[in-house]
Amino acid sequence: MPLLTVRDDTRLYYKDWGSGPPVLFSHGWPLNSDMWENQMMHLASEGFRVIAHDRRGFGRSDQPWHGYDHDTFSEDLSEIITALDLWDLTLVGYAMGGGEITRYIGRYGSERISRLVLIGATTPKLAWSEDYPNGVPEAVFDSVRAGLRSDRAEFIRGFSRLFFGADKEGACISEGSMMQLHQIAMQCSLKAAHDSITACAMTDYRGDIAKFDIPVLIIHGEDDAFVPFGATAQQAIELMPTAELKLYENAPHGLLFTHKDRLNSDMLSFIRQ
């Protein structure tokens, strides 16, 4: 397997497919690079080099005890970009991965980056605070951590159904896709899943967004139950008035699967601009 050993000897797994202008994908919680298979297959077939890594603690990467915060994640991302010598790079981040690429720009700038795509992203902030009243109450994240500690496998089973909005009228998702999501999610370590909830929820990216100086596409599902539109993308577009926002009507958090054709088309059009 292709593995990159970073500064603290953690080994990060990554995929590197195709050739052409590079696109790097950053996955969501509690998943790994396999969640991007539809997007990577599509873009590689259209003449792009596509790269996706498993974040530390997730998938096939090492599972250290510490380091589940966005400063560490963005530092890992920087090492991948540098090691693969990527330039004129499109960064695509989903949910927690949107926070990762946003923190990367905040810390390292856009010298190597040409554009950003934020999909169901946790930016500019997910959790409620006195200066962010649109956020999600902290009790929600306490419940997630408790569910992981009590019975992670059963919690992830429920997560998979909510991820796809499978119990909503008109939902169209296969049992196979829900099984696949469960399998991907169970590859992460319990420690990584538990600690990363804090990183997802509490990290404030408003200072990082202030450093954006490249084109940005925001894609979000109207019925996202995990990263609500009103708490995230609706606030983000006010901080990024030149960004392009595409709101997918009735789409759940798992729009990478449920709306894959539309998503692939929108990403390809934006990257080719």
Side-chain angles (χ1 to χ4, degrees):
M1 296 192 303
L3 295 169
L4 174 67
T5 302
V6 296
R7 64 210 168 275
D8 62 354
D9 292 327
T10 298
R11 295 171 300 171
L12 302 178
Y13 167 85
Y14 66 94
K15 302 178 185 183
D16 191 345
W17 296 353
S19 60
V23 182
L24 190 151
F25 295 86
S26 180
H27 66 80
W29 180 96
L31 307 174
N32 62 50
S33 60
D34 289 347
M35 62 162 276
W36 291 113
E37 63 180 12
N38 293 315
Q39 290 67 46
M40 293 181 71
M41 183 76 170
H42 182 69
L43 290 184
S45 299
E46 291 289 338
F48 291 87
R49 178 185 178 188
V50 293
I51 303 106
H53 65 295
D54 291 355
R55 189 173 296 115
R56 62 172 59 217
F58 296 77
R60 289 137 294 199
S61 292
D62 282 349
Q63 300 184 356
W65 184 249
H66 298 292
Y68 302 111
D69 60 88
H70 275 84
D71 284 348
T72 301
F73 298 148
S74 65
E75 199 167 355
D76 289 345
L77 183 61
S78 176
E79 292 203 40
I80 294 170
I81 292 170
T82 301
L84 298 181
D85 196 27
L86 302 175
W87 294 89
D88 194 23
L89 174 65
T90 298
L91 288 177
V92 183
Y94 171 79
M96 178 181 179
E100 179 175 289
I101 67 173
T102 298
R103 177 55 51 89
Y104 170 87
I105 296 295
R107 297 188 73 192
Y108 300 99
S110 61
E111 180 183 11
R112 290 176 176 263
I113 315 303
S114 60
R115 58 189 63 79
L116 298 175
V117 182
L118 299 170
I119 304 170
T122 56
T123 50
K125 191 173 183 285
L126 185 55
W128 179 93
S129 61
E130 289 188 1
D131 68 340
Y132 198 75
N134 297 293
V136 177
E138 187 172 353
V140 172
F141 308 108
D142 292 338
S143 176
V144 172
R145 286 185 286 263
L148 291 170
R149 292 192 302 268
S150 174
D151 187 342
R152 179 166 71 119
E154 179 62 18
F155 178 86
I156 294 298
R157 188 191 67 81
F159 164 83
S160 299
R161 299 194 67 80
L162 194 58
F163 181 89
F164 291 119
D167 297 322
K168 289 199 170 187
E169 184 178 353
C172 185
I173 191 68
S174 68
E175 286 294 326
S177 290
M178 286 189 287
M179 290 173 62
Q180 179 192 26
L181 192 84
H182 188 276
Q183 183 267 337
I184 293 173
M186 288 301 294
Q187 290 181 47
C188 74
S189 77
L190 175 57
K191 183 64 159 59
H194 181 277
D195 289 8
S196 293
I197 283 295
T198 301
C200 277
M202 303 305 172
T203 305
D204 189 335
Y205 307 99
R206 286 174 287 187
D208 304 300
I209 288 172
K211 298 179 182 180
F212 283 6
D213 57 359
I214 52 177
V216 179
L217 171 64
I218 300 172
I219 297 174
H220 215 97
E222 183 182 36
D223 286 347
D224 192 322
F226 288 103
V227 184
F229 172 72
T232 54
Q234 189 173 34
Q235 310 305 314
I237 197 66
E238 295 184 8
L239 300 177
M240 296 179 268
T242 61
E244 180 181 3
L245 171 64
K246 290 184 178 292
L247 180 63
Y248 286 16
E249 301 80 6
N250 302 315
H253 190 55
L255 54 79
L256 279 79
F257 298 81
T258 62
H259 293 65
K260 65 180 181 181
D261 292 337
R262 179 179 176 185
L263 177 65
N264 290 348
S265 177
D266 285 342
M267 281 201 306
L268 183 60
S269 296
F270 176 72
I271 294 170
R272 282 180 166 165
Q273 287 179 3

